[in-house]
Amino acid sequence: MTLRQLRYLIAVVAAGSITGGARSLNVSQPALSAGLAALEDELGTPLLERQRGAVRLTALGRRFHRRALGIVRDADLARQEVRRGLEQSVLTLGVLPTVPMGLVLGLAEALRRHLPAVELTIREAREPRLAEAVGLGRMDAALTISDRAADGWWVPVRDDPLAVVCPPGHDFARRGSVRVADLDGEAFVLRMHCERGRDAQGLLDSRGIRLRPSFATDQDARAFAAVRAGLGVTIAPRTLVPEGLGFVAIEDLGLTRRLGLQLSVGLDERLLGALVAALRDAEAAQMVIPDANVSIN
């Protein structure tokens, strides 16, 4: 299997035909067809269904095509980094959707100062894909939470407590704190994408607390808008809660998450040092960064 064969497959799929793929790569059609045939022979299965000048992927071909896209993309990225040398390279940073945008932008700004010649790419992903990408070296680092981090180096940023979020006029806000039992039967806005939110709901279920779901969403802006409109309360990390909403501690449910940076074990030492320095730039990130040494999980 060669990169050329993978590029042949990708081009044919993009063009929808053997002829179009050969034209886009500026190679002869017989050469491209031979390369695809050799690839299919090596894999032991057809990747394409050929019908009257058009092609489409088989079921296994679709799976292989996704892998081929990743392999070719990584190969192109590696080639770019080598050609640019140490003075200019590419840094890929992953972020969980529940990491506050202020921290993401603060880190990006700090990195531009510490690594002015580096091209920064930021990709948002849910925790399973993020952990896989960092573990395989497809991402250089990820802003995530500690118990979702893959094996490798971990730099903590801060603890981020979770509590009840409610409108300012809600009874909970006037009381200043609540107990778990106070949530029983309460109208509740489900933040379906939040890792710790699911943990909180599980803990409430284990104590026999039954919430009354009133709205469910995987977007924080919509969840907090629903809370503001009085559709219900929710549970969320402090760093995500917008101004104008109450943040009320749950006295007998200590739940928090630790935000930090997961580093790929194969990360270049120069980039590693710059990432850690950028994290400690509290002014850029507008957060207090504790003294933290890179540690192995």
Side-chain angles (χ1 to χ4, degrees), residues 23-232:
R23 186 182 302 116
S24 69
L25 293 175
N26 196 27
V27 299
S28 69
Q29 184 173 330
L32 187 145
S33 296
L36 289 177
L39 178 61
E40 290 176 322
D41 286 345
E42 180 179 348
L43 294 174
T45 185
L47 299 175
L48 297 168
E49 295 178 357
R50 298 161 174 81
Q51 299 176 341
R52 295 185 179 180
V55 298
R56 66 177 184 178
L57 289 165
T58 63
L60 288 176
R62 286 193 295 272
R63 294 171 61 182
F64 184 81
H65 178 253
R66 288 195 296 269
R67 292 291 188 184
L69 287 171
I71 293 169
V72 170
R73 182 173 59 246
D74 288 346
D76 289 342
L77 181 60
R79 183 181 296 107
Q80 292 170 18
E81 289 182 341
V82 170
R83 287 178 176 175
R84 291 173 182 175
L86 292 176
E87 293 305 315
Q88 183 172 359
S89 56
V90 177
L91 181 68
T92 302
L93 176 68
V95 296
L96 277 179
T98 58
V99 170
M101 197 60 182
L103 177 58
V104 177
L105 297 178
L107 180 57
E109 177 62 26
L111 282 170
R112 282 194 290 268
R113 292 195 298 272
H114 287 280
L115 295 169
V118 168
E119 178 183 327
L120 177 64
T121 298
I122 301 175
R123 298 177 186 167
E124 189 174 85
R126 297 289 176 86
E127 66 271 14
R129 290 191 176 183
L130 209 58
E132 179 185 27
V134 174
L136 294 175
R138 292 176 181 169
M139 288 182 179
D140 299 303
L143 276 171
T144 183
I145 56 179
S146 60
D147 61 339
R148 307 286 174 173
D151 292 338
W153 289 340
W154 170 255
V155 182
V157 175
R158 61 175 295 179
D159 288 332
D160 192 12
L162 276 76
V164 172
V165 182
C166 62
H170 194 282
D171 178 60
F172 288 172
R174 289 191 291 268
R175 290 162 54 182
S177 66
V178 297
R179 297 185 66 82
V180 168
D182 297 326
L183 297 175
D184 195 33
E186 188 74 22
F188 196 80
V189 175
L190 293 171
R191 298 173 55 252
M192 302 174 65
H193 56 294
C194 183
E195 308 81 18
R196 277 289 187 249
R198 292 193 295 270
D199 295 342
Q201 188 171 356
L203 288 172
L204 293 175
D205 289 343
S206 70
R207 299 192 189 185
I209 304 301
R210 294 295 176 260
L211 303 174
R212 181 163 53 86
S214 60
F215 186 73
T217 179
D218 62 358
Q219 299 180 43
D220 279 322
R222 296 172 69 87
F224 295 134
V227 171
R228 195 183 303 275
L231 292 184

Side-chain angles (χ1 to χ4, degrees), residues 9-25:
L9 177 66
I10 292 169
V12 167
V13 172
S17 68
I18 300 290
T19 301
R23 186 182 302 116
S24 69
L25 293 175

